[in-house]
Amino acid sequence: MTARDELELCYASISDVAGMLTRREISAVEITEAVLRRIEHHNDDMRVYITVTADLALAQARGADRDIARGAPLGLLRGIPVALKDNIATRGIRTTCGSAVDPDWVPDEDAAVYSRLREAGATLLGKASLYEYAFSLNDAFPQPPNPWRRDRSSAGSSSGSAVAVATGMAHGAIGSDTGGSGRAPANVNGVVGFKGTFGLVSRRGVVPLSYSLDHVTVFARRVADAALLLQAVSGHDPRDPQSSSVPVPDVRAAIGSDMRGLRVARARGYTHEGIDPDVTRVIDEAFDVLRRLGATIEDVRLPLIEQCSGMQAAIMLPEAAAIHYERLRDAPERLGDSALMRLDLGSVIPATAYINAQQARGVLRDAFRTLFESHDAIVGPANAVRAGEAGAWTTTLDGRTIDLRAVGPEYTGIYNLAGNPAIVIPAGFSSEGTPIGLQIAGRWFDEATVARVAHAFEQATDWHQRRPPV
């Protein structure tokens, strides 16, 4: 196999790889070896993986090849190399959570999402970089650079999972998303990030940040691949008290359907001062595509948008402080400065603020129910600004300093608060050459329509075919 062939294999879609495996044009071991070589060449520079599980991946690939050879029923992801965010428990494999607090923790049980990946036949390449406890930047495990421009942020907290997919160092990946920490990296790294309805994917074994906001997110380079991943890891888990018993929607069924007849709400009403002109341009062009595809577009002000930042902080910070109470009490000096500051803040937020925010979420969900009576999907930007400087919490727009943590809740966090499905897909580039994504949200457990809109846009454009210069 030539170097060019190997590169193309690393960037092949999951569907294409599955077809090659079924036709025995290539083996699972060959695919896994190709991706592992790419990891070996680039991981020191890109800092995608905290732990690489090469021996395990090859053993799982050999098992996949045996299953294929004997004609055994194949799982949805048989032989597909994937990465896991390093806050997802893996039995016998260290799970650092990106923190110096307990960097050598080795779980004795797999997270439910990894169990489902194994049942589907995936091979585990390793554990991907993340913010400390999916919360804050820290020095213990430096974040990956943006693969399109090394001086720009890869966002977080699931940066390693997104960059692994963007750079051909995994065909798919799993992350977590509390206020956009899955979709934000998808947005600036040029990949697909798909968050299902709250409870669709079990979070058992995913080290929590916020009990009532955490979601599992899947990453891929194609919408159809993300739908396949989401389908594989979804389903009721009796050991997760917040796992939904609603039957898993057939997300893949809508792939390939056109946009005719769909009623799309264009998200409006953001309260911050202005949007980056590059983001405005990309989103305007995206809506031109959706109109050409037959969608009916109507401007809609998102409900309670002005309260999202306060709601998210009043819920996430106290829940995080409760989750990390013992760490904050026993080893505060081992936490990064940013995490320590935010956990301290969460410890002093009044219970009344927390309860009021949870009640406001009910009002938000009711408002979304009303909105979805007349619309099939909500479409808009995933952030107000392009990728910021690496390691920075702020960026500058028109001479003004913007706190990225304050802007995020209006764009991505609103769908964590409401709990409905949302996807971010590649939609264009900034003038600096960094990706800008389009976000699509839908009714609860209507992932199929979200995927339908996303796939129709993807097939009408070529943004998903672009590759970073790695």
Side-chain angles (χ1 to χ4, degrees), residues 15-37:
S15 300
D16 286 345
V17 170
M20 287 187 282
L21 285 169
T22 299
R23 295 188 298 271
R24 302 193 188 183
E25 297 172 357
I26 197 165
S27 70
V29 168
E30 288 174 303
I31 293 167
T32 302
E33 287 176 338
V35 181
L36 287 172
R37 278 191 289 270

Side-chain angles (χ1 to χ4, degrees), residues 73 80-81 98 105 148 152-153 168 178 180 191 198 201 208 217 259 284 309 403 429:
I80 303 299
W105 175 49
W148 300 86
R152 294 303 172 190
S153 171
T178 304
V191 298
F198 183 79
V201 182
T217 300
M259 290 280 292
D284 285 346
S309 183
D403 186 334
F429 286 83

Side-chain angles (χ1 to χ4, degrees), residues 119-459:
E119 291 166 5
T123 61
L124 178 63
L125 297 163
K127 309 296 290 293
S129 300
L130 72 162
Y131 284 1
E132 182 172 22
Y133 290 110
F135 199 30
S136 297
L137 289 166
N138 74 104
D139 296 328
F141 295 96
Q143 295 303 293
N146 188 301
W148 300 86
R149 269 195 59 165
R150 303 298 178 89
D151 62 337
R152 294 303 172 190
S153 171
S154 58
S157 61
S158 302
S159 51
S161 298
V163 176
V165 172
T167 56
M169 286 193 264
H171 285 82
I174 308 295
S176 62
D177 188 317
T178 304
S181 47
R183 285 158 292 147
N187 179 50
V188 299
N189 293 295
V191 298
V192 177
F194 199 171
K195 174 190 81 66
T197 303
F198 183 79
L200 180 70
V201 182
S202 173
R203 301 171 308 164
R204 176 173 55 85
V206 180
V207 176
L209 171 58
S210 171
Y211 296 117
S212 66
L213 294 173
D214 288 349
H215 295 64
V216 169
T217 300
V218 301
F219 295 91
R221 288 186 290 272
R222 304 287 186 273
V223 172
D225 291 351
L228 184 67
L229 282 164
L230 188 62
Q231 195 90 32
V233 299
S234 297
H236 178 63
D237 178 5
R239 296 175 58 194
D240 178 355
Q242 293 178 307
S243 175
S244 172
S245 58
V246 173
V248 176
D250 190 348
V251 186
R252 296 178 295 157
I255 297 296
S257 301
D258 60 38
M259 290 280 292
R260 286 176 293 182
L262 286 183
R263 303 161 299 173
V264 171
R266 179 168 183 167
R268 299 288 196 185
Y270 304 110
T271 62
H272 60 85
E273 296 181 36
I275 297 180
D276 190 301
D278 281 343
V279 175
T280 299
R281 169 182 52 79
V282 167
I283 300 303
D284 285 346
E285 291 172 355
F287 273 99
D288 289 341
V289 173
L290 295 178
R291 288 189 188 93
R292 290 199 301 271
L293 291 172
T296 300
I297 312 293
E298 179 185 4
D299 284 4
V300 172
R301 179 182 173 84
L302 293 181
L304 273 69
I305 193 73
E306 65 280 355
Q307 298 183 33
C308 283
S309 183
M311 266 193 283
Q312 180 172 298
I315 293 169
M316 181 184 71
L317 293 176
E319 290 187 352
I323 289 164
H324 295 287
Y325 173 78
E326 292 185 359
R327 297 181 181 96
L328 188 59
R329 180 194 63 193
D330 298 338
E333 72 283 356
R334 293 164 69 185
L335 286 162
D337 291 343
S338 180
L340 181 61
M341 177 191 69
R342 300 181 81 190
L343 290 172
D344 280 339
L345 178 60
S347 299
V348 298
I349 290 177
T352 51
Y354 177 83
I355 292 170
N356 286 337
Q358 291 287 17
Q359 290 177 327
R361 289 179 76 180
V363 178
L364 176 66
R365 284 190 286 264
D366 288 342
F368 269 125
R369 286 189 186 94
T370 300
L371 193 158
F372 282 118
E373 289 175 0
S374 55
H375 298 86
D376 300 301
I378 303 170
V379 180
N383 207 320
V385 293
R386 72 189 88 174
E389 292 183 12
W393 287 119
T394 61
T395 190
T396 302
L397 177 62
D398 296 333
R400 292 176 288 105
T401 299
I402 295 176
D403 186 334
L404 297 174
R405 290 169 293 185
V407 171
E410 295 187 6
Y411 290 86
T412 52
I414 189 170
Y415 301 121
N416 295 79
L417 289 162
N420 42 340
I423 193 171
V424 168
I425 59 175
F429 286 83
S430 73
S431 56
E432 295 181 338
T434 53
I436 295 173
L438 183 71
Q439 182 171 221
I440 302 156
R443 299 179 184 90
W444 296 269
F445 299 103
D446 190 14
E447 282 78 8
T449 297
V450 173
R452 174 184 174 185
V453 175
H455 185 261
F457 175 84
E458 178 186 81
Q459 294 305 297

